[in-house]
Amino acid sequence: MNEDTVTDAVRWRILIVLLAAIAMSLINVSIVNVALPAIQKGLGASQSDLQWVLSGYALTFGVVLVAAGRAGDIMGRGGIFIIGVAVFTLASVASGLAPNAPSLNLARFAQGVGSGLLSPQGVGMIQQYFRGNERGRAFGYFGSAVGVSVGIGPVIGGLLVDLGGVELGWRLTFLVNVPIGIATLIMAFVWFPKPLFRRGPRGTGNRSRRVLYMLRALDPVGALLLGLAVFAILFPFMQSQGSALNWLWLPAGMALVFAWVRWERFYVRLGHSPMVDLNIFSTQSFTNGSLIMTLYFMGMTSIWVLVALYMQQGAGKSALQAGVVGIPAAFVSALAANWAGKRVTKYGRKVVIGGLCCAITGVVLCIGVIMLHESGYLGVWWLMPSLVLIGLAQGSVISPNQTLTLAEVPLAYAGSSGAIMQTGQRIGTSVGIAMITAAVFALLNVTSWSVAAASGFGLIGLIISAALVVAIKDQGGRRTGIAQP
């Protein structure tokens, strides 16, 4: 079967495989947040160890994203996806059986690599196999999977920790990935079009010539420079409580980005295909959409961290209760993503603008509930309806914005371009969480949890407002024709 001409039945089966893997990787992220106290007790882990349980995964995930996306574009997305799922599944086994904290962190690094390999292939394969309204629907289902996975992860994690206890419970939060990973691999081998990997030019049949072609197309120098740049930018935010010298990584990262851009332009002048076609940044829909996504993730991902902290440390609730408060929002997010995915080609960036307005409204209502709870007028569970608006926003922003951002990107760069956008999400998430939690904990030294949490939500509202300004600017450009490539 030719991978570029598949039947409708095969196309939707491919999507099922992609969604299973994406759901597995996202549930893994939210489950671990709940399992951290049990990991600390079970392994005798230090605070630094726990920080790396989270940061190590995020770091390797962000570093390999773009290189993995380009590898899929050149070598075949199906094959790289299967390798990513296999690495992630094996790393989950290693995480669940880890005898000590260093072993767990090494396994988490490997999980991040696996997730980084599979994630851009998911976006690239949706671009490859779906067109027009069907692509919007596919990304809508993608967004539904994201919403449900993020919402049920903490609940599943809380249940597994309660059932398994200190020694076994946290291990189950990793081992639960294994049957999902095995099922995903089986479905991928059965349903993905063959061949899973592409070959280089066939002219002479010379294997060394094909290898050289692949190496040139993968642009190893560009991959190394961008990987180091992402590492240097992310590292100080993930170690924000460490030495002040860590912040020297940030200017080093910016210098590496500059070096990467210069190298990519030089590589094109040599007549080779670059890791990322920098011309995609002249496509305003891609540039604006990537900026919207970076700002959105800088604000929105901090909401769930802040809610978990406030519910447990401010309101005295359990980890399971902190997870339950977000369930309605997760399911509304799934429904909204499905609805928006079917209509994004008709309404365009207006769907995203509406979602961002819902997010800002939800943030304002959360501030109101927290302050009224502080005054004794409302119970903390009134956060649920406020967070539903946040869920509505997630479904209306993430997948529709992804569809619009990648709509005009050449298929040959679908994987690497999608990975650039996801890298922006990772950087936005790391910067936002570091900045907002630092502000909240600084305020806790002089005020109550409610005031500190409300102030954190205020910062989140400002960041999302910046994303709204970019979205309105992009919509205005589309009306005047400026936002066209």
Side-chain angles (χ1 to χ4, degrees):
M1 185 187 298
N2 187 293
E3 68 172 7
D4 294 315
T5 55
V6 298
T7 64
D8 283 342
V10 172
R11 187 177 293 121
W12 291 104
R13 286 174 187 167
I14 290 170
L15 183 63
I16 290 171
V17 180
L18 301 179
L19 296 187
I22 295 299
M24 175 180 67
S25 64
L26 288 173
I27 288 173
N28 176 74
V29 173
S30 52
I31 271 183
V32 172
N33 291 336
V34 175
L36 288 177
I39 291 172
Q40 186 173 26
K41 293 177 183 176
L43 292 180
S46 66
Q47 286 296 327
S48 177
D49 291 329
L50 291 180
Q51 186 173 24
W52 276 109
V53 169
L54 298 175
S55 300
Y57 174 89
L59 200 58
T60 51
F61 177 82
V63 165
V64 305
L65 262 175
V66 181
R70 184 57 178 158
D73 291 339
I74 296 299
M75 300 174 65
R77 299 182 181 103
I80 302 297
F81 176 89
I82 286 173
I83 291 173
V85 174
V87 170
F88 187 91
T89 304
L90 290 172
S92 296
V93 174
S95 297
L97 301 178
N100 50 48
S103 300
L104 175 59
N105 281 321
L106 284 174
R108 288 287 286 166
F109 289 147
Q111 270 194 322
V113 171
S115 191
L117 287 170
L118 70 90
S119 292
Q121 315 318 325
V123 174
M125 291 173 81
I126 291 175
Q127 288 284 101
Q128 179 177 349
Y129 292 114
F130 294 88
R131 299 286 186 274
N133 290 332
E134 278 198 343
R135 182 180 290 175
R137 286 177 60 201
F139 273 123
Y141 291 129
F142 183 95
S144 296
V146 171
V148 173
S149 302
V150 171
I152 67 173
V155 180
I156 294 174
L159 288 173
L160 290 175
V161 170
D162 285 350
L163 289 172
V166 172
E167 289 297 329
L168 180 62
W170 69 266
R171 296 182 185 276
L172 293 175
T173 64
F174 293 109
L175 295 174
V176 74
N177 297 320
V178 178
I180 303 174
I182 292 172
T184 301
L185 287 172
I186 293 170
M187 289 189 294
F189 276 114
V190 173
W191 286 342
F192 277 4
K194 309 297 186 295
L196 295 169
F197 289 100
R198 300 192 187 105
R199 294 187 176 185
R202 296 178 181 270
T204 63
N206 189 319
R207 180 175 295 180
S208 62
R209 183 167 174 262
R210 290 176 184 167
V211 171
L212 183 60
Y213 165 81
M214 289 292 185
L215 283 175
R216 285 177 176 171
L218 289 172
D219 184 10
V221 174
L224 179 63
L225 285 172
L226 185 58
L228 290 173
V230 173
F231 176 89
I233 291 170
L234 287 176
F235 184 79
F237 291 101
M238 293 177 172
Q239 289 288 294
S240 57
Q241 302 302 315
S243 169
L245 293 176
N246 284 338
W247 293 103
L248 293 177
W249 285 92
L250 199 54
M254 302 312 295
L256 284 165
V257 170
F258 177 76
W260 172 70
V261 171
R262 294 294 298 269
W263 169 260
E264 293 295 273
R265 289 173 176 166
F266 172 71
Y267 207 60
V268 171
R269 289 199 297 272
L270 291 178
H272 301 315
S273 179
M275 179 186 185
V276 174
D277 182 1
L278 297 179
N279 289 327
I280 62 172
F281 291 103
S282 64
T283 303
Q284 292 300 307
S285 59
F286 178 82
T287 303
N288 290 338
S290 297
L291 182 56
I292 290 168
M293 200 62 93
T294 300
L295 290 168
Y296 179 82
F297 272 78
M298 189 182 294
M300 288 293 280
T301 49
S302 300
I303 286 178
W304 303 109
V305 174
L306 194 51
V307 167
L309 286 171
Y310 177 70
M311 286 290 291
Q312 293 179 74
Q313 299 183 27
K317 303 299 181 182
S318 69
L320 183 57
Q321 288 173 314
V324 167
V325 77
I327 289 179
F331 283 100
V332 168
S333 172
L335 293 172
N338 188 31
W339 181 91
K342 294 176 181 177
R343 292 161 177 81
V344 64
T345 53
K346 179 178 180 180
Y347 296 110
R349 199 72 78 181
K350 292 177 182 177
V351 176
V352 177
I353 291 171
L356 291 170
C357 289
C358 283
I360 294 169
T361 304
V363 166
V364 171
L365 289 175
C366 284
I367 293 172
V369 169
I370 289 170
M371 297 312 298
L372 288 170
H373 175 67
E374 170 85 347
S375 304
Y377 293 107
L378 284 180
V380 72
W381 293 105
W382 280 98
L383 278 174
M384 269 189 173
S386 304
L387 292 172
V388 163
L389 279 174
I390 304 295
L392 183 62
Q394 287 189 175
S396 304
V397 173
I398 297 176
S399 294
N401 190 70
Q402 206 159 19
T403 303
L404 295 167
T405 302
L406 298 175
E408 296 166 353
V409 170
L411 183 59
Y413 285 92
S416 55
S417 299
I420 284 284
M421 185 172 63
Q422 288 182 312
T423 301
Q425 295 173 12
R426 298 312 311 164
I427 292 173
T429 297
S430 300
V431 172
I433 290 175
M435 180 176 65
I436 290 165
T437 54
V440 169
F441 284 119
L443 284 170
L444 280 175
N445 293 324
V446 295
T447 187
S448 67
W449 250 109
S450 293
V451 173
S455 300
F457 274 105
L459 284 174
I460 290 168
L462 290 175
I463 296 169
I464 297 173
S465 296
L468 177 61
V469 169
V470 177
I472 292 172
K473 177 177 177 288
D474 183 76
Q475 178 65 21
R478 288 170 183 272
R479 283 198 299 268
T480 60
I482 297 172
Q484 298 304 314

